[in-house]
Amino acid sequence: MLLSVLDRSRVRAGRTHAEALRDTVAFAREVEELGYHRFWVAEHHAVPGVAGSAPTVLAAAVAAATSRIRVGTGGVMLPNHRPLVVAEQFGVLESLFPGRIDMGLGRSVGFTGAVRRALGHDREDAEEFGPRLAELLAYFRGDGPVRAYPAHGLRVQPFVLATGAGALTAAAHGVPLVIGAFRGEDAMLEAVGAYRARFTPSPWAAEPYVVVSTTVAVADTAEQAWRLLLPEAWAMARSRTPGDFPPLVAPDDVLAATMTARERAYFEQALRGHVHGTPTGVAEELTALVERTGADEVLVTTSTHDREALLTSYRLLATLVEGPTSRSRESNARVP
């Protein structure tokens, strides 16, 4: 089982956005030592609880602070950017850190209308994801409308992040798919099946390659693992009610919070569908997830308030699969 990490630079209550970004860089060094395969950072704009707004800039800092782990984005939201600029940014990254850069791309736009207006885009721009992806990949192949230096001729591995329809875009362009069960596991399995059925081989991947994204929380007891999930679930509930997506608070503060019926419903919904528990239980759940999906890789996206407890979870997880990167390069040759 190949394991990777996505960190969204979540802000913790009482700490600053700057500290959250520095935590991300330190976290990357720590998970590299644990043997994880990739470390990705995300793109969010004007979200109080997320510091990661410039993923290529942050990826450069992460790559500079590490030496072996692959570094990338999960992802750059392509509707927010011109493909030429994205190609140039990843060309710079690949030039500085050759053979280690991943280009994860998504089709989401701003979280609110005000954010979308500030970015100069709207919901309809998500429909241009396919053409923008085609243009972006053309710059690396050397057949774009202009020469994108230093991207021209470089090999940067693209991935498409999808929740549903994006899976067909990934298949049409022959690139690896990153997907989670955000709309339920049945919808995810349907999208993965469609991706594999319609996949077109390309210079980026000879065969379908599926990365399943999920939250994984591991602790000595099932209750401790469950408590790790509470801060993010509460932030998600808040994002669906007042709409503020706040910094992460401690589990005890979550449990003591007075919730409206609507908040409680969203909170309980946000706690479902995650892999969590003791090491033995998590190993069984992850194995079953990989068997159900046929995933080539698992991207772990866990966030919580207690940074030390989070690191312990990742340490325990690393011991469950005989070393996350133990699979040979030959058996994983079709995608770095």
Side-chain angles (χ1 to χ4, degrees), residues 199-330:
F199 183 85
T200 302
S202 76
W204 315 109
E207 306 170 36
Y209 190 93
V210 175
V211 181
V212 169
S213 174
T214 189
T215 297
V216 182
V218 194
D220 291 334
T221 69
E223 181 180 358
Q224 289 172 340
W226 176 75
R227 286 173 62 87
L228 289 178
L229 303 175
L230 300 181
E232 184 72 11
W234 175 232
M236 290 296 294
R238 294 283 298 176
S239 75
R240 301 290 298 276
T241 43
D244 54 7
F245 204 78
L248 299 171
V249 299
D252 285 344
D253 292 334
V254 175
L255 293 174
T258 300
M259 302 186 196
T260 66
R262 188 162 175 255
E263 285 173 333
R264 174 67 64 180
Y266 282 129
F267 175 66
E268 292 176 353
Q269 181 183 6
L271 285 171
R272 300 186 193 118
H274 306 304
V275 177
H276 69 285
T278 63
T280 299
V282 165
E284 293 174 353
E285 281 193 66
L286 272 183
T287 299
L289 175 64
V290 170
E291 288 176 350
R292 291 194 304 273
T293 59
D296 299 280
E297 187 174 334
V298 176
L299 182 67
V300 184
T301 64
T302 313
S303 299
T304 195
H305 177 266
D306 187 333
R307 188 170 182 276
E308 285 304 314
L310 180 67
L311 289 173
T312 296
S313 177
Y314 276 94
R315 290 188 191 105
L316 291 171
L317 179 59
T319 68
L320 300 182
V321 293
E322 300 176 358
T325 61
S326 62
R327 181 161 56 170
S328 70
R329 179 63 65 186
E330 290 75 17

